[in-house]
Amino acid sequence: EAMGDLGNLLGRVLGEKVDLSIQHGRDLGLVMVDIHQFEQVIINLAVNARDAMAQGGKLSVKTSNISREQSHHAPHKIPESEYVLCEIEDTGSGIPKEIVDKIWEPFFSTKDVGKGTGLGLSMVYGIIKQTGGYIFCDSVLGKGSVFRIYLPRHYPEPSAPHAVAKDVTPVQADF
């Protein structure tokens, strides 16, 4: 639902040069995440993608469930469990191999002075880690980048039935 609600905002943020595609997975599991922080994660990644596609391009956002078995064979090393995966992929300039591991560091930026603080991706990383999730970036210079966010699937505890007191005598309250 969050991705659907963000679609209109992302369209305005990305502008006319970037083609946005959002593909929702079916019957997605629940996750425990602050919705506003998660929106910030997606917006930050989308703005970075837009900046990497100055001449235009395509940004796709896909969501899906990852089973325990699928997590065992995921392209990144994550604990075997159930996840909801959110992939943000762009056709931008890509990130050079020698700096892709540095992008999560606070104050690291490839932007010109005055064009960014270098805090965006470190904030994204912190928010995802706070949820117990994982985020990875795969990038090919000149072809684009894909960010994969694995959020642990959440199963709410069934609420306990309310206890009903036995042998209670009703009392009239005088107010």
Side-chain angles (χ1 to χ4, degrees):
E1 288 179 27
M3 296 310 302
D5 293 344
L6 265 180
N8 290 332
L9 175 61
L10 287 178
R12 289 191 303 271
V13 167
L14 295 173
E16 294 178 10
K17 291 182 183 178
V18 177
D19 180 30
L20 174 64
S21 165
I22 299 178
Q23 298 173 356
H24 301 285
R26 294 184 141 301
D27 301 320
L28 289 177
L30 298 175
V31 294
M32 290 285 288
V33 64
D34 180 294
I35 188 66
H36 301 295
Q37 287 185 340
F38 187 69
E39 288 172 346
Q40 279 302 122
V41 165
I42 302 303
I43 290 167
N44 186 288
L45 294 173
V47 167
N48 285 353
R50 178 201 64 197
D51 293 349
M53 299 184 286
Q55 305 306 314
K58 181 172 176 142
L59 178 70
S60 42
V61 180
K62 299 176 194 167
T63 57
S64 61
N65 288 317
I66 300 293
S67 69
R68 183 174 288 281
E69 175 66 21
Q70 289 170 317
S71 72
H72 181 71
H73 301 290
H76 302 95
K77 188 168 176 61
I78 56 175
E80 200 170 300
S81 190
E82 292 182 51
Y83 298 92
V84 174
L85 173 64
C86 182
E87 294 177 289
I88 298 93
E89 184 171 3
D90 68 60
T91 58
S93 56
I95 303 168
K97 264 188 190 292
E98 60 272 8
I99 65 169
V100 79
D101 290 334
K102 296 179 184 180
I103 63 173
W104 311 113
E105 295 175 12
F107 305 110
F108 179 81
S109 180
T110 59
K111 296 178 181 175
D112 293 335
V113 175
K115 302 256 182 183
T117 61
L119 293 174
L121 288 178
S122 65
M123 177 199 69
V124 163
Y125 184 84
I127 290 170
I128 299 304
K129 292 311 259 182
Q130 197 175 346
T131 69
Y134 303 89
I135 183 167
F136 301 95
C137 175
D138 293 310
S139 190
V140 176
L141 203 54
K143 295 199 176 188
S145 302
V146 59
F147 287 82
R148 289 182 180 88
I149 301 170
Y150 296 87
L151 297 173
R153 187 147 178 195
H154 173 71
Y155 291 94
E157 295 289 326
S159 55
H162 295 288
V164 177
K166 295 181 182 176
D167 301 326
V168 175
T169 307
V171 177
Q172 179 72 33
D174 270 339
F175 291 105

